[in-house]
Amino acid sequence: MDKKSLTERDICTKFILPAVKRAGWDDMVQVREEVYFTKGRIIVRGKLVTRGKAKKADFVLYYKPNIPIALIEAKDNNHSVGDGIQQGLDYATTLDVPFVFSSNGDGFVFCDRTGRSVPIEANLGIDAFPSPSDLWARYRTWKGLDPEAEQIVLEDYYDDGSGEQKRYYQVIAVNRAVEAIAKGKTRVLLVMATGSGKTRTAFQIIWRLWKSRQWNPEGKKRILFLADRNVLIDQTMVNDFRPFGAAMAKLSTNAKTIERQDCTTLDLTLALDKKRRIDTAFEIYLGLYQAITGPEDRQKLYREFSPGFFDLIVIDECHRGSAADDSAWREILDHFSGATQIGLTATPKETEYVSNMDYFGEPVFTYSLKQGISDGFLAPYKVIKVHIDRDVEGYRPELGQLDRDGNEVEDRIYNAKDFDRHIVLDDRTVLTAKKITEFLKESGDRFQKTIVFCVDEEHAARMRQALVNENADLVAENQRYVMRITGSDKEGQDQLGNFIDPESRYPVLVTTSRLLSTGVDAQTCRLIVLDRAVGSMTEFKQIVGRGTRVHEDTKKFFFTLIDFRGATSHFADPDFDGDPVQIYEPGEGDSITPPDDAPQGSDAIPPIPGDDEIVIDQPGATVSSGGTTRKIYVDGVGARILAERVEYLDENGKLVTESLRDFTKTALKKRFASLDDFLKRWKSAERKQAIIVELEAEGLALDAVADELGKNLDPFDLICHVAFDKKPLTRRERADNVKKRDVFTKYRPQARAVLDALLEKYRDEGVLNLDDANVLKVTPFTAMGSVVQLIKAFGGKEGFEKAVHEMQDALYQETA
């Protein structure tokens, strides 16, 4: 056999895998080939959505399922034995795998990332591959696991039998948390971006510790899972925590029947009776922290448990003040201070006054929004920043201005922080609702799930009304099209389950203040609107997280965030870790829909999809608390959108402000290196419209630029003028120049009449595909004869197309 002629796959099958099996690895349990561990980044160009290439390891070796300890990068035999080592090290860093091998079928290069082997890199013969026990001994030494800790670390994951593979970062998070606890760490922090599966990760950690006989020598395994939203507890019990079954109960007195994802129902088991007496027979307790503590002693239900009752406490969304010395959650944590405590958060909170890192210590694992978007597990997003004149310029009432109740309005300047909190300008609310509706209409999908964040519950009620009025046609079909979902609105809260259910059409547009800002698993949310200031980076990340889940069944691959209050200034904060793919700021009279796409930060995305990208969605595809402060209401003040500014991320990931025209110029010059380059491309294109279609597919809508310039220009002139500063000619001027040159004299009368009419059609309508014979089926050509007769006047189809191409060449002869 000529080894040099074999493919990489053949080398894997005939040489590498047999060597691994001879070393004692079980290929059914411990060896996986061609392991795709990312999904491939989602790339958005206008409405064209593609996926980049997913990362794939040739071999991953597991000591036990979901405990990866080695990786092999293979090459064909035309490469040297160590040619794959650098690629393998890159993959191993991502997968948190300590031992890396490279092979071409002749032998192996082994690299010990722990740094404990001497030498760190070594050449091994094809029959010298290490055994599972050899690598595990090295792993155990590296991690510092004694025999008791090793027993805990080797506890199996829960397997539901579906065969679904866990995402690589979830495996790392679970393994690191279990290892830390096995070695005696009692405070553990996991930082994972919203939408990355924190609760699923928490379940596997709890399951493995619950099942481990070594973890608690006394054998009692009582666990408390805390969250701050009822819906989070209910979702968790019926979905991720379902395998705990009868061992699990909710610390609540309210019985509830919940529908599972498979449409079956479940009655939640309660650990409290009507008199709030606790049933201590369960092992897994889930509680809403507001339900077990409060400012008054009688509300502090957690004190009914002895301090040593729980062995493990898991705090979901622990950024919400749980680490603050005076927080309600901190009371609970202090009471059960002897328990192991795990904090889960998307946003570690670090301020002058509060630090959950100070409480929990440095995170044992972090998976950022930026990494999630890069891996393709989380949805990228666009941002539309809308500036309303009253917000920017402020509002000062006229002398003697009366409010709606007839009281004089205090004479001072009211700014964006005052609007809808201290003073209400209804015209501003109506304008906001109008712009939201305009976006939905222009998107072509008025049923995309939308959350509008308002200042308080009263503002959310007014915003609901304004949206109802703007969408009266769809509200008439179903009154649940627009709903308010806030803490005090029972009817709205009853619809929360339907809003987050991908199978439920209504409600569609939801107004809220803070109820939906954290934790709610709204997989199909495509539009988030901010009409209130967001002072906290923590809360801002949480709000962005409402849209980051990908939902492939409904083709939800990215989302849009419309910001009316300047909250997206948080993007400039170095603590923000997931830049948007585009930021667009429409001006007065501009469409609210972003007209084109933009460079993607430091990894600028080329304008045209590469060969390694797969199109997953494209144009034309179808898919199945307010305070008691009195507010001042002032009518008839008016509001409008201010002038346009567009902000994009440059190649260094910095926001650059430029006009739509400047952005288009930059993008066109990337597409066409010079004027000559463009002219050659235009002249060689038999169908000029094809170039325009290509540009539109890249997100460059020339019509939007033409509207901004206020000139009715041919696309050819628009590109020459915008990209290369050439003086443009109107279509009329171009048509007149062709007539002056008398280029049709060589044709017979009927053919000349057809060409004259085509030239008029270009001049009046801007038609570019003049060589398409279908154009002869409309007036004025129908009065000249049949299509066959008219084409015959040119000697046939070839003659007709040749004549039209000559006319087009004559049209674009002028470039100055």
Side-chain angles (χ1 to χ4, degrees), residues 38 119 145 147 194 196 227 249 274 377 431 450 589 610 647 663 740 778 804:
T38 70
L145 302 177
T194 301
S196 61
K274 291 298 181 183
F377 292 118
L431 176 63
T450 300
E647 284 190 358
F663 169 73
K740 286 175 190 172
V778 298
V804 174

Side-chain angles (χ1 to χ4, degrees), residues 91-394:
Y91 289 170
T93 302
T94 301
L95 294 173
D96 201 30
V97 169
F99 308 120
V100 182
F101 298 84
S102 170
S103 179
N104 66 352
D106 291 339
F108 297 94
V109 168
F110 166 54
C111 180
D112 183 351
R113 293 182 60 239
T114 72
R116 292 174 177 269
S117 298
V118 180
I120 292 173
E121 283 197 12
N123 291 309
L124 304 176
I126 194 68
D127 289 319
F129 196 85
S131 68
S133 58
D134 179 6
L135 289 187
W136 179 251
R138 297 179 191 225
Y139 183 95
R140 193 176 58 227
T141 303
W142 172 51
K143 290 289 187 178
L145 302 177
D146 61 26
E148 286 188 359
E150 181 184 14
Q151 290 272 345
I152 298 169
V153 168
L154 290 177
E155 187 63 50
D156 288 330
Y157 278 66
Y158 173 77
D159 183 0
D160 62 3
S162 68
E164 181 184 0
Q165 294 298 321
K166 292 159 188 65
R167 295 176 179 178
Y168 80 87
Y169 61 85
Q170 294 171 347
V171 170
I172 297 172
V174 173
N175 289 344
R176 285 199 186 174
V178 171
E179 285 171 2
I181 292 167
K183 291 194 292 183
K185 191 173 174 65
T186 58
R187 302 291 182 267
V188 174
L189 180 64
L190 289 172
V191 178
M192 296 175 68
T194 301
S196 61
K198 290 193 298 296
T199 312
R200 183 175 299 179
T201 300
F203 164 72
Q204 288 291 356
I205 295 169
I206 295 170
W207 178 271
R208 290 175 66 191
L209 293 174
W210 184 55
K211 287 290 185 181
S212 170
R213 292 183 298 277
Q214 302 294 319
W215 177 49
N216 190 317
E218 297 176 21
K220 59 185 178 71
K221 306 272 181 56
R222 295 201 185 95
I223 295 160
L224 175 63
F225 180 87
L226 285 172
D228 68 339
R229 295 280 191 270
N230 235 323
V231 65
L232 301 183
I233 298 293
D234 296 344
Q235 282 180 355
T236 299
M237 289 185 75
V238 299
N239 296 323
D240 292 320
F241 281 29
R242 182 178 172 184
F244 288 125
M248 172 178 62
K250 181 180 179 181
L251 288 167
S252 172
T253 58
N254 298 320
K256 196 168 186 180
T257 300
I258 302 293
E259 187 174 309
R260 296 188 182 114
Q261 290 174 336
D262 60 6
C263 297
T264 60
T265 58
L266 175 73
D267 292 327
L268 298 186
T269 304
L270 304 181
L272 299 179
D273 62 17
K274 291 298 181 183
K275 293 183 179 180
R276 287 171 65 87
R277 288 178 299 201
I278 301 167
D279 185 341
T280 59
F282 299 100
E283 295 182 70
I284 313 291
Y285 293 82
L286 293 91
L288 191 66
Y289 86 91
Q290 298 95 323
I292 62 174
T293 190
E296 299 178 23
D297 283 348
R298 63 179 178 81
Q299 295 172 306
K300 300 184 188 300
L301 180 71
Y302 68 88
R303 290 182 178 172
E304 299 299 314
F305 294 100
S306 66
F309 186 83
F310 290 110
D311 303 285
L312 175 68
I313 299 178
V314 178
I315 309 99
D316 194 17
E317 307 294 1
C318 70
H319 58 271
R320 294 182 63 80
S322 63
D325 288 338
D326 60 349
S327 79
W329 277 1
R330 185 60 178 265
E331 284 183 67
I332 302 170
L333 299 182
D334 286 344
H335 182 73
F336 301 111
S337 60
T340 299
Q341 297 172 2
I342 301 175
L344 304 173
T345 182
T347 49
K349 190 166 187 175
E350 291 294 307
T351 72
E352 183 182 350
Y353 308 105
V354 176
S355 171
N356 52 16
M357 284 192 189
D358 180 56
Y359 182 81
F360 287 102
E362 288 293 320
V364 297
F365 179 67
T366 297
Y367 189 72
S368 68
L369 172 61
K370 187 174 185 177
Q371 187 63 48
I373 291 173
S374 176
D375 287 344
F377 292 118
L378 299 179
Y381 58 103
K382 300 180 178 184
V383 173
I384 301 172
K385 300 171 82 169
V386 182
H387 301 293
I388 296 175
D389 59 345
R390 297 297 175 191
D391 295 349
V392 175
E393 299 165 2

Side-chain angles (χ1 to χ4, degrees), residues 723-783:
F724 305 108
D725 300 318
K726 289 292 179 183
K727 181 183 175 183
L729 296 179
T730 65
R731 291 200 301 267
R732 178 177 290 278
E733 287 171 327
R734 290 202 174 277
D736 288 345
N737 286 341
V738 172
K739 284 188 175 180
K740 286 175 190 172
R741 285 196 290 271
D742 232 0
V743 296
F744 301 154
T745 50
K746 63 181 179 181
Y747 296 103
R748 293 181 180 178
Q750 188 175 26
R752 195 159 57 243
V754 170
L755 291 172
D756 279 333
L758 284 171
L759 195 60
E760 292 296 311
K761 207 156 193 64
Y762 161 81
R763 187 188 71 184
D764 296 337
E765 300 175 30
V767 176
L768 292 183
N769 285 345
L770 298 172
D771 57 350
D772 185 347
N774 285 322
V775 76
L776 303 178
K777 295 179 181 178
V778 298
T779 55
F781 304 103
T782 48

